[in-house]
Amino acid sequence: MAGARTAVALREEGWPGAVTLLGAEAHQPYDRPPLSKALLQAAPHGGNPGAAGAAGDGAAAAAGPAGATGLGIDFAALDVELLLGHSANALRAADRLVVAGDTALPYDHLVIATGADAVGLPGSETTPGVHVLRTLDDAERLRPVLAAGRPVVIVGAGWIGAELTTAAREAGCPVTVVEATARPLSGALPAEVTAPMAGWYEEAGARLLTGTRVAAVEPGGVLLGDGSRLRADAVVVGIGARPATGWLGGSGVELCADGSVRADERLRTSLPDVYAVGDCASFPSARYGERLLIHHWDNAFRGPATVAAHIARCAEETPVYDPVPYFWSEQFGRFLQYAGHHSGGERLVWRGDPAGVSWSVCWLRDGVLTALLAVGRPRDLAQGRRLIERAARLDPERAADPSVPLKSAAV
């Protein structure tokens, strides 16, 4: 998404020069959110899922369910050259070259949009029956496994784990979820917010084991830290992702401790004429007073406009990149949306009963709305996002009344 949108944004800015889009996958750029949602629940089909997209001359529409993930961008009409199935191996900044296998590509401007790689467990790459879900090919390998309705172990009860559990249960698979921490989404949300979410697994007929460590993946299951084993036809590891920046070693591009490219407020890197956008890059947020690394679709979609504007206009007056982060998740028959960023110490204000089908929670710092999670309340999210953008203060009592429109709680 980040690379494709950068190419489009450059043309929208009137950039007249050559644009080359280098991609490690053989498929044309596609949308990732459906991989853990609609695509996993579609019936498997034969053939190469990305053949039409990979071989096509522009339009990113492939036949079959996999084609539903296409971005609908006609790269030929935009005069954008696609080099698919080519992985960037090194950056030789002194020579202004990107090395991809035996090919060295010269550049005047370089945009790093290599995304993130799924984090695995030791042995997961070589053990039969163990899956991750990051790419279209990952989804195509996993889809027939779920369609067979056989037992599945899912490692990790984060966002991806919940969506995988939802898809597997809807396919009729017996599911056991193993989470190392004491609760679902422990790295994303505070305990009082996630408390009702643990029950969602049971409601869906899945078994959730919290505070449980996977010692090893094995053919036919996993070995737990207490020495017991869980048997399954498939093990799916969903324990997070890390920026795909290993290829930048020795390039002079500064990386942060988390492996992300250290971009500035206009998504420029430490090297001249080199930018970074999407899951691989972190940036300073004046809005939140800290550096943010956002692994979500909206960031990959919005960031390229900033990069393209700076390349095409080459002027300091181009806007800085400081968005209100946003993402969504579909799990257990619920639609979750989150906007903003919380870091601890905020006051929590609930809107509605978390035991019910729809509710929201607001994060307030010194009365200012900084973040909002909406479960089945899209109007709260839409209004809350605008309130966060303008750093609006809320009346906590009115904000806590779910019958009062959130925008009416602003003071």
Side-chain angles (χ1 to χ4, degrees), residues 159-180:
W159 299 113
I160 189 68
E163 292 178 359
L164 284 166
T165 302
T166 300
R169 286 300 300 137
E170 291 185 357
C173 299
V175 178
T176 301
V177 181
V178 182
E179 169 56 44

mmCIF file of all heavy atoms in Angstrom, residues 159-180:
data_model
loop_
_atom_site.group_PDB
_atom_site.id
_atom_site.type_symbol
_atom_site.label_atom_id
_atom_site.label_comp_id
_atom_site.label_asym_id
_atom_site.label_seq_id
_atom_site.Cartn_x
_atom_site.Cartn_y
_atom_site.Cartn_z
ATOM 1 N N TRP A 159 -4.502 -8.331 17.846
ATOM 2 C CA TRP A 159 -5.493 -8.025 16.810
ATOM 3 C C TRP A 159 -5.554 -9.133 15.759
ATOM 4 O O TRP A 159 -6.632 -9.607 15.403
ATOM 5 C CB TRP A 159 -5.149 -6.699 16.128
ATOM 6 C CG TRP A 159 -5.149 -5.518 17.042
ATOM 7 C CD1 TRP A 159 -4.082 -4.770 17.423
ATOM 8 C CD2 TRP A 159 -6.285 -4.941 17.708
ATOM 9 N NE1 TRP A 159 -4.481 -3.771 18.280
ATOM 10 C CE2 TRP A 159 -5.823 -3.844 18.464
ATOM 11 C CE3 TRP A 159 -7.647 -5.244 17.716
ATOM 12 C CZ2 TRP A 159 -6.679 -3.048 19.236
ATOM 13 C CZ3 TRP A 159 -8.510 -4.455 18.480
ATOM 14 C CH2 TRP A 159 -8.019 -3.377 19.227
ATOM 15 N N ILE A 160 -4.383 -9.559 15.271
ATOM 16 C CA ILE A 160 -4.379 -10.576 14.218
ATOM 17 C C ILE A 160 -4.866 -11.913 14.765
ATOM 18 O O ILE A 160 -5.573 -12.662 14.087
ATOM 19 C CB ILE A 160 -2.975 -10.702 13.578
ATOM 20 C CG1 ILE A 160 -3.023 -11.586 12.337
ATOM 21 C CG2 ILE A 160 -1.956 -11.239 14.562
ATOM 22 C CD1 ILE A 160 -3.767 -10.989 11.190
ATOM 23 N N GLY A 161 -4.509 -12.232 16.028
ATOM 24 C CA GLY A 161 -4.964 -13.481 16.623
ATOM 25 C C GLY A 161 -6.472 -13.537 16.740
ATOM 26 O O GLY A 161 -7.098 -14.574 16.487
ATOM 27 N N ALA A 162 -7.086 -12.411 17.122
ATOM 28 C CA ALA A 162 -8.544 -12.367 17.250
ATOM 29 C C ALA A 162 -9.210 -12.538 15.883
ATOM 30 O O ALA A 162 -10.216 -13.244 15.752
ATOM 31 C CB ALA A 162 -8.969 -11.057 17.890
ATOM 32 N N GLU A 163 -8.663 -11.896 14.854
ATOM 33 C CA GLU A 163 -9.253 -12.017 13.521
ATOM 34 C C GLU A 163 -9.063 -13.425 12.965
ATOM 35 O O GLU A 163 -9.967 -13.968 12.311
ATOM 36 C CB GLU A 163 -8.641 -10.970 12.599
ATOM 37 C CG GLU A 163 -9.039 -9.545 12.987
ATOM 38 C CD GLU A 163 -8.407 -8.480 12.110
ATOM 39 O OE1 GLU A 163 -7.644 -8.841 11.197
ATOM 40 O OE2 GLU A 163 -8.691 -7.286 12.331
ATOM 41 N N LEU A 164 -7.905 -14.022 13.217
ATOM 42 C CA LEU A 164 -7.682 -15.405 12.791
ATOM 43 C C LEU A 164 -8.632 -16.363 13.503
ATOM 44 O O LEU A 164 -9.171 -17.291 12.901
ATOM 45 C CB LEU A 164 -6.236 -15.802 13.071
ATOM 46 C CG LEU A 164 -5.175 -15.250 12.115
ATOM 47 C CD1 LEU A 164 -3.786 -15.437 12.700
ATOM 48 C CD2 LEU A 164 -5.269 -15.926 10.762
ATOM 49 N N THR A 165 -8.816 -16.140 14.801
ATOM 50 C CA THR A 165 -9.738 -16.981 15.560
ATOM 51 C C THR A 165 -11.144 -16.870 14.998
ATOM 52 O O THR A 165 -11.848 -17.877 14.841
ATOM 53 C CB THR A 165 -9.733 -16.572 17.042
ATOM 54 O OG1 THR A 165 -8.408 -16.686 17.569
ATOM 55 C CG2 THR A 165 -10.664 -17.457 17.855
ATOM 56 N N THR A 166 -11.551 -15.650 14.683
ATOM 57 C CA THR A 166 -12.877 -15.439 14.105
ATOM 58 C C THR A 166 -13.040 -16.212 12.803
ATOM 59 O O THR A 166 -14.036 -16.923 12.602
ATOM 60 C CB THR A 166 -13.103 -13.941 13.857
ATOM 61 O OG1 THR A 166 -13.000 -13.230 15.097
ATOM 62 C CG2 THR A 166 -14.471 -13.695 13.239
ATOM 63 N N ALA A 167 -12.053 -16.092 11.911
ATOM 64 C CA ALA A 167 -12.131 -16.781 10.623
ATOM 65 C C ALA A 167 -12.121 -18.293 10.795
ATOM 66 O O ALA A 167 -12.879 -19.020 10.131
ATOM 67 C CB ALA A 167 -10.971 -16.349 9.725
ATOM 68 N N ALA A 168 -11.285 -18.786 11.691
ATOM 69 C CA ALA A 168 -11.185 -20.238 11.900
ATOM 70 C C ALA A 168 -12.469 -20.806 12.502
ATOM 71 O O ALA A 168 -12.932 -21.885 12.106
ATOM 72 C CB ALA A 168 -9.991 -20.557 12.787
ATOM 73 N N ARG A 169 -13.069 -20.105 13.435
ATOM 74 C CA ARG A 169 -14.309 -20.588 14.026
ATOM 75 C C ARG A 169 -15.453 -20.540 13.014
ATOM 76 O O ARG A 169 -16.287 -21.450 12.968
ATOM 77 C CB ARG A 169 -14.669 -19.743 15.262
ATOM 78 C CG ARG A 169 -13.802 -20.025 16.470
ATOM 79 C CD ARG A 169 -13.906 -21.491 16.924
ATOM 80 N NE ARG A 169 -15.284 -21.826 17.275
ATOM 81 C CZ ARG A 169 -15.900 -22.953 16.927
ATOM 82 N NH1 ARG A 169 -15.263 -23.881 16.181
ATOM 83 N NH2 ARG A 169 -17.142 -23.183 17.295
ATOM 84 N N GLU A 170 -15.477 -19.489 12.183
ATOM 85 C CA GLU A 170 -16.526 -19.425 11.165
ATOM 86 C C GLU A 170 -16.365 -20.529 10.138
ATOM 87 O O GLU A 170 -17.345 -20.944 9.504
ATOM 88 C CB GLU A 170 -16.526 -18.044 10.508
ATOM 89 C CG GLU A 170 -16.991 -16.939 11.438
ATOM 90 C CD GLU A 170 -17.107 -15.589 10.762
ATOM 91 O OE1 GLU A 170 -16.778 -15.479 9.568
ATOM 92 O OE2 GLU A 170 -17.533 -14.637 11.446
ATOM 93 N N ALA A 171 -15.127 -21.027 9.977
ATOM 94 C CA ALA A 171 -14.886 -22.154 9.080
ATOM 95 C C ALA A 171 -15.181 -23.490 9.749
ATOM 96 O O ALA A 171 -15.096 -24.540 9.096
ATOM 97 C CB ALA A 171 -13.437 -22.122 8.597
ATOM 98 N N GLY A 172 -15.500 -23.463 11.046
ATOM 99 C CA GLY A 172 -15.831 -24.691 11.759
ATOM 100 C C GLY A 172 -14.650 -25.381 12.414
ATOM 101 O O GLY A 172 -14.770 -26.538 12.849
ATOM 102 N N CYS A 173 -13.512 -24.701 12.505
ATOM 103 C CA CYS A 173 -12.325 -25.307 13.101
ATOM 104 C C CYS A 173 -12.384 -25.248 14.628
ATOM 105 O O CYS A 173 -12.701 -24.189 15.186
ATOM 106 C CB CYS A 173 -11.053 -24.586 12.658
ATOM 107 S SG CYS A 173 -10.747 -24.600 10.888
ATOM 108 N N PRO A 174 -12.058 -26.349 15.325
ATOM 109 C CA PRO A 174 -11.797 -26.242 16.758
ATOM 110 C C PRO A 174 -10.540 -25.385 16.956
ATOM 111 O O PRO A 174 -9.523 -25.620 16.311
ATOM 112 C CB PRO A 174 -11.559 -27.684 17.194
ATOM 113 C CG PRO A 174 -12.170 -28.528 16.109
ATOM 114 C CD PRO A 174 -11.984 -27.736 14.847
ATOM 115 N N VAL A 175 -10.610 -24.380 17.830
ATOM 116 C CA VAL A 175 -9.519 -23.413 17.958
ATOM 117 C C VAL A 175 -9.083 -23.289 19.406
ATOM 118 O O VAL A 175 -9.921 -23.128 20.308
ATOM 119 C CB VAL A 175 -9.943 -22.019 17.440
ATOM 120 C CG1 VAL A 175 -8.809 -21.013 17.640
ATOM 121 C CG2 VAL A 175 -10.330 -22.088 15.969
ATOM 122 N N THR A 176 -7.773 -23.354 19.619
ATOM 123 C CA THR A 176 -7.169 -23.023 20.904
ATOM 124 C C THR A 176 -6.207 -21.867 20.683
ATOM 125 O O THR A 176 -5.362 -21.925 19.787
ATOM 126 C CB THR A 176 -6.406 -24.214 21.506
ATOM 127 O OG1 THR A 176 -7.295 -25.318 21.678
ATOM 128 C CG2 THR A 176 -5.796 -23.842 22.857
ATOM 129 N N VAL A 177 -6.361 -20.820 21.474
ATOM 130 C CA VAL A 177 -5.510 -19.637 21.371
ATOM 131 C C VAL A 177 -4.581 -19.605 22.573
ATOM 132 O O VAL A 177 -5.039 -19.698 23.719
ATOM 133 C CB VAL A 177 -6.349 -18.351 21.303
ATOM 134 C CG1 VAL A 177 -5.440 -17.130 21.164
ATOM 135 C CG2 VAL A 177 -7.339 -18.420 20.150
ATOM 136 N N VAL A 178 -3.286 -19.478 22.309
ATOM 137 C CA VAL A 178 -2.278 -19.453 23.369
ATOM 138 C C VAL A 178 -1.697 -18.046 23.451
ATOM 139 O O VAL A 178 -1.123 -17.549 22.479
ATOM 140 C CB VAL A 178 -1.159 -20.482 23.098
ATOM 141 C CG1 VAL A 178 -0.151 -20.478 24.236
ATOM 142 C CG2 VAL A 178 -1.750 -21.869 22.893
ATOM 143 N N GLU A 179 -1.837 -17.412 24.601
ATOM 144 C CA GLU A 179 -1.347 -16.046 24.813
ATOM 145 C C GLU A 179 -0.384 -16.027 25.998
ATOM 146 O O GLU A 179 -0.726 -16.475 27.101
ATOM 147 C CB GLU A 179 -2.527 -15.097 25.063
ATOM 148 C CG GLU A 179 -2.174 -13.711 25.543
ATOM 149 C CD GLU A 179 -1.222 -12.973 24.627
ATOM 150 O OE1 GLU A 179 -1.429 -13.014 23.391
ATOM 151 O OE2 GLU A 179 -0.274 -12.352 25.144
ATOM 152 N N ALA A 180 0.821 -15.505 25.780
ATOM 153 C CA ALA A 180 1.849 -15.524 26.814
ATOM 154 C C ALA A 180 1.530 -14.599 27.975
ATOM 155 O O ALA A 180 1.920 -14.859 29.118
ATOM 156 C CB ALA A 180 3.202 -15.160 26.210
#
